[in-house]
Amino acid sequence: AHAATTLAGVTACNEDSQIGGSIAQDGVAIIVDTSFQITAKTVLSDSVISRTISQMIGCVDAPGYGLLSSNVVTQFMPAITLDTAGVKLEDVDSLKLHFTFEKTGFTGDSIAPMGIEVYPLTKTLSTPIYSNFDPTGYYDASQKLGQTVYNLTWSSLPIAEQGTTTRTLDISLPQSLAKKLYSAYLENPASYASPTYFSENVFKGLFIKSSYGSGRILRVSKTVMNMYYHRTEPVAGANPPRDTTIVGIGSYYAVTPEVISNNSISLSMAQSVKDAVAQGQQIVLAPAGYDVELVFPARELIASYKSSLKGLGVINTLSMVVSALPIENKYEIAPPPNMMLILKKDKDSFFKENKLPDNKTSFYAAYNTVGQTYAFTGLRQYLLDLMDKDEITDEDVTFVLTPVNVSTETSSSDWYGNSSSYVTGVTPFVSWPAMVKIDPAKTKIRFIYTKQTIKN
C-alpha cells in the first residue's frame, strides 16, 4: 500500500467536560492513498454525433494511424439583410465557396493534388446527425455546382497569402445559384430571418465531396459563400454627367453553430493499431475510431475508507492522472487536445442533449504535453454521491475516456483586472486525426481524506 499519514493534535476546549476529555485523547490523521489502480480496455467508437463548424475534407492514408476520409454536408446561416441599394438582380455577378484554414491545418502531404466537388442538397438535414451519415438521397450527383484541384505548396498560394498564418481555398459556384439566392431575398426578405426557414425553403445546403486523392485531410475553420456584385451610380457633380461602377462582395452565407454541419467520416485503422489493441494495449483513436473503457475502483476506495475509520472522517480530494503516451506514426498525429471521462451509460445522452460536464459523473481534462497525461482532479463529489447509494452497480463505476472538442468563453475583467473562462460546449472530437495510448499501470489515483484517531 502507498498511504502516507500526517498527525495533528487536537486540544480540548473544556478539560472538565466528558466530550472535551475524549477529544483531548484523540488526534487527526490526514491519509494520502495512491494504492488503487484502474482496469481498462479498448472499445470501438465508430459512430458519434459529429455536428461541428470545423469541417474536415479529404482523404489521408497515414501509416501508423489508418485510412481516413471525410466529406461534408452543411447548411448555411444567411445574413439578415443584403445590400440592395442600387443593386438589381442582373448586377449579381458570381458566387464563391470560400474555405479558411490555418497554415498548419492539415494532416498529410502538402504537395499531393487533391480534388473537391460540390453539390446542392436536395433534402433538408435533421438532427441528431452522426459521423457515419450517408449523404445518398440528400444530393443529386448530376447537379455538380463546382469543383477544384489544389495542393498546399507555398508557390501555389496567392501572393497575398504567402506571408500569413491562414490560407484560403475558393470554389466558383454557378451565377444562376447566386441570382436564385438574391432573388429569394428580394421577393421575401423575411425568408432570411430564420436559418430554419432558409434551409427548408430557400437553400438546403451543400454536399462537399473529396473527389480523388489520398494524401491529405484539410481542417477548415471557417466556411462562407461570398456573393460578388456591382452597382452603377452617378458621379456627384460630374459635368457632363457620368456613372461609376462600384464592385461589392457580400459574405452573406456562413457555417455557424446555429446550423447543421456534419463531417461524414470513414476510418479504417492501420494494422499496427489493430495489432496493438489485440495485444491488450489501450488506445484512443479519433475521429470515430477507438475509446477506452475503464472501471474506476470506487467500491474499493469506499471500503478502504470506511474500514480505516474509528471515529469521524472527511474526504478531502480525489483525482486521477491518466498516463497518455503519443503513438509513433508518419504524419506526427498527436494525442487529442481534450479528453472526457464520463459514465458509459451517460455518453450518448450527454452529446444528444448538448450537456456540459457536471464534475459528478462527467469530467474533462486538457492534454499535458510535458507530463503526457490527462489530469481529472475533481472526483470527490462523484465518490460522495456513491456513498449515499444503497448499492453500487457496475454501471456506477464503468467510465469511457473519449476525445472531445471543448468550447470556452472568457468573462470580462473585474476591477482588479481578473478574468475567468468557462465551458460553453463539449462535442465529440471530429476535427482532425488524433490518437494516444492509455497506460493503466502508470495512471495514478490520489485519494486524500482526514480521519479522527482514537488514543487508547
Side-chain angles (χ1 to χ4, degrees), residues 82-151:
L82 272 59
D83 182 7
T84 59
V87 182
K88 300 181 290 294
L89 183 60
E90 56 265 30
D91 296 333
V92 175
D93 300 316
S94 61
L95 187 71
K96 287 187 178 181
L97 182 62
H98 184 81
F99 300 116
T100 301
F101 53 96
E102 293 296 320
K103 181 179 179 180
T104 57
F106 69 94
T107 299
D109 186 349
S110 64
I111 299 176
M114 298 290 293
I116 297 177
E117 296 175 347
V118 180
Y119 299 86
L121 292 180
T122 57
K123 186 177 178 180
T124 303
L125 300 173
S126 60
T127 57
I129 191 165
Y130 290 85
S131 58
N132 61 352
F133 175 80
D134 184 355
T136 302
Y138 283 80
Y139 77 103
D140 186 346
S142 68
Q143 300 295 319
K144 187 190 299 180
L145 296 177
Q147 62 184 347
T148 192
V149 176
Y150 76 103
N151 63 35

Side-chain angles (χ1 to χ4, degrees), residues 340-377:
M340 167 164 274
L341 175 69
I342 185 168
L343 285 178
K344 179 183 178 180
K345 66 182 180 66
D346 296 336
K347 179 189 170 186
D348 289 344
S349 62
F350 180 93
F351 293 120
K352 282 183 181 178
E353 299 170 17
N354 297 314
K355 294 180 180 180
L356 297 177
D358 60 9
N359 292 322
K360 295 180 180 179
T361 58
S362 57
F363 316 82
Y364 87 94
Y367 186 63
N368 183 323
T369 56
V370 177
Q372 298 181 335
T373 58
Y374 297 97
F376 300 95
T377 58

